[in-house]
Structures are given as C-alpha cells and as structure tokens.
Amino acid sequence: MQDQPEQKQPPPRWRMSIGEGVILLLNILTAGVSASLGLFAILWGSFREPTQPTGIVVYLLGGSLLLVALGAGLTGLLLLLRQSRLAAWFQWLAALGGALFLGTYLFLSRSSGSLQADLALLAMMLFIIVLFVFSGWFLRRVGDEK
C-alpha cells in the first residue's frame, strides 16, 4: 500500500467576495424600501373600500412589494450565514416579486397614469428584475465553487 498524504478539507470561508458584499448591501436596502412601501400601500388600502378596483390594486401592489422584501431579506440573511447557493433561490423569489409588481401595475392600473410615468416605471422595474436574476445567477456560481 502506498502512503497517500491525507487530504485536508479547505478551511471555511470567513470573508465574502466583493460581489457578495455588494449583493448583500443592495438586498438589505431593497428589503427595507420595498417592505416600507408595501406596508404603506396595504395600510393606505385599508382606508379605502377593499371591494373597489382601486382597493384591490393597492393590495396586490403592496403584496408584491412584500414578496420582494421577503426575497431580498432572506437573501441578505442567507448571505450573512454563508449559504450562497440557497440565497440564489431567494434572490430569484425577489425577482418574481418584482415581475408580479410590474405586471400588476401595468395590467390593473393602466389607465390611471401618464405614458411617461409608465415607461419610466417599466424601465426601472425591468432593470431591477434583471439585476435580481443576474445576482441570483452569480450567487449560484459562487455557491458551486465552494
């Protein structure tokens, strides 16, 4: 029998990469802002008649913002716990919440705003959704390398 040197396991990573740190910061900010706006929308909608179409739209918009906050908050928590692969799934949950917000806003409140405001919101939300999807992809790649 040959004596093979004992292979050591690599030490656990204690430091985040720069990309993970940036994603963590953006997710914490996104979770705070979207949770605040979602709660405000739901509380503001509770003062309206919930059976009216505007009350339903406000609840749907608030709920989709809370879904974004849930995905971004859990992503930040999992990044702090060094679970990059699992954090990527919740990053995509935040992207799904952003897509639901965009779809709800464009479908249910299409007649209430101006075209310029709708296009600005469309561009901003598409940018945020693409950012969530690519950061989820990045976190999956980092999780695979560990």
Side-chain angles (χ1 to χ4, degrees), residues 5-77:
E6 185 178 319
Q7 293 183 359
K8 295 182 180 179
Q9 294 290 336
R13 269 186 22 182
W14 294 102
R15 294 175 54 107
M16 280 189 203
S17 69
I18 292 174
E20 287 174 317
V22 168
I23 290 172
L24 175 67
L25 179 67
L26 288 176
N27 278 303
I28 289 172
L29 291 173
T30 302
V33 168
S34 61
S36 300
L37 290 175
L39 286 175
F40 175 74
I42 288 175
L43 290 176
W44 183 67
S46 67
F47 291 117
R48 294 179 168 264
E49 185 64 34
T51 58
Q52 292 178 349
T54 57
I56 294 170
V57 169
V58 169
Y59 283 135
L60 289 173
L61 291 175
S64 61
L65 282 174
L66 288 177
L67 186 63
V68 171
L70 176 71
L74 288 175
T75 299
L77 178 67

Side-chain angles (χ1 to χ4, degrees), residues 83-134:
Q83 299 292 322
S84 298
R85 191 166 172 83
L86 188 57
W89 290 103
F90 285 104
Q91 189 70 26
W92 288 333
L93 178 69
L96 175 69
L100 288 175
F101 176 80
L102 182 63
T104 302
Y105 180 80
L106 291 178
F107 182 72
L108 296 176
S109 63
R110 59 184 174 260
S111 64
S112 64
S114 68
L115 180 62
Q116 290 177 340
D118 288 344
L119 287 177
L121 181 73
L122 176 70
M124 179 184 64
M125 287 306 295
L126 285 178
F127 176 73
I128 289 172
I129 291 168
V130 167
L131 185 68
F132 280 148
V133 168
F134 280 125

